[in-house]
Amino acid sequence: MMTIEQDIAQIVRQEQRLQFTQFDAETAWTIGSRLRQLAKERNLSIVIDIQVNEHQLFHVALPGVTPNNADWVRRKRNLVQHYHCSSYLMKLRLQHQKAGLEDKTGLNTRDLAAAGGCFPILLKGTGCIGTITVSGLPQREDHNLVVSVLAEYLQLPLPELALS
């Protein structure tokens, strides 16, 4: 089991490595479709959402999800758009500091959620241009699912990037 500090360092590595040279609607479709395929194979009830510059390029709600999952997507996405880092990284940093999101930042948790499952779309040389969000699983699993598909898409070895 990794410590919070090790998880934080590993997610920082994930964000450094899982970057794109280009990202468009076709990329979103490929990644979103792969996430959906894995969810169907594993019988997961999740929402998948991919946005670039606040423009939704992919969205699906699989059987078993509720409108609550869509709200979690919105709140996690808002956090990543605000901080340009993974929602799980923010969650772990706050946990490590023994602080809540509202206490530490003054931001309202009705609109932002520090919970795993939203990963920034990072364009090399540019920075954060969008988000890939999964909601419906425990937050670490939401995060790991996104990372596994990004590593596969970018042809990077998952064992070097995965959280244990």
Side-chain angles (χ1 to χ4, degrees):
M1 182 78 173
M2 295 178 101
T3 66
I4 288 177
E5 294 87 356
Q6 290 169 320
D7 277 351
I8 289 170
Q10 184 68 342
I11 295 170
V12 168
R13 276 191 292 280
Q14 289 171 351
E15 291 179 4
Q16 290 167 346
R17 303 267 325 271
L18 297 173
Q19 294 193 20
F20 295 85
T21 55
Q22 65 87 34
F23 196 100
D24 58 17
E26 191 64 34
T27 311
W29 178 259
T30 301
I31 290 170
S33 296
R34 179 63 175 142
L35 284 164
R36 181 185 177 278
Q37 177 188 6
L38 289 175
K40 298 276 287 176
E41 288 172 3
R42 299 173 187 176
N43 200 30
L44 305 176
S45 296
I46 61 173
V47 173
I48 303 162
D49 183 85
I50 301 176
Q51 296 196 11
V52 171
N53 297 323
E54 300 183 33
H55 178 68
Q56 190 173 67
L57 298 178
F58 186 95
H59 186 91
V60 65
L62 296 173
V65 299
T66 68
N68 188 49
N69 295 105
D71 194 50
W72 275 99
V73 166
R74 177 188 67 83
R75 293 170 56 224
K76 292 190 269 190
R77 183 180 61 235
N78 286 346
L79 182 98
V80 173
Q81 288 172 337
H82 190 82
Y83 287 102
H84 292 182
C85 72
S86 157
S87 58
Y88 197 47
L89 178 60
M90 189 67 170
K91 163 69 176 175
L92 292 175
R93 284 178 171 160
L94 289 168
Q95 188 176 332
H96 186 254
Q97 297 167 6
K98 296 177 177 42
L101 182 64
E102 282 193 53
D103 300 334
K104 186 74 175 170
T105 66
L107 297 169
N108 191 326
T109 56
R110 289 177 59 180
D111 292 319
L112 292 98
C118 188
F119 201 89
I121 297 170
L122 299 163
L123 201 60
K124 290 179 183 175
T126 300
C128 182
I129 62 162
T131 56
I132 300 172
T133 312
V134 167
S135 177
L137 307 172
Q139 61 184 330
R140 189 179 187 91
E141 292 175 38
D142 279 344
H143 176 85
N144 285 337
L145 183 60
V146 174
V147 167
S148 70
V149 170
L150 291 179
E152 178 184 290
Y153 180 85
L154 294 167
Q155 299 178 337
L156 295 170
L158 183 60
E160 293 176 17
L161 294 169
L163 296 176
S164 63

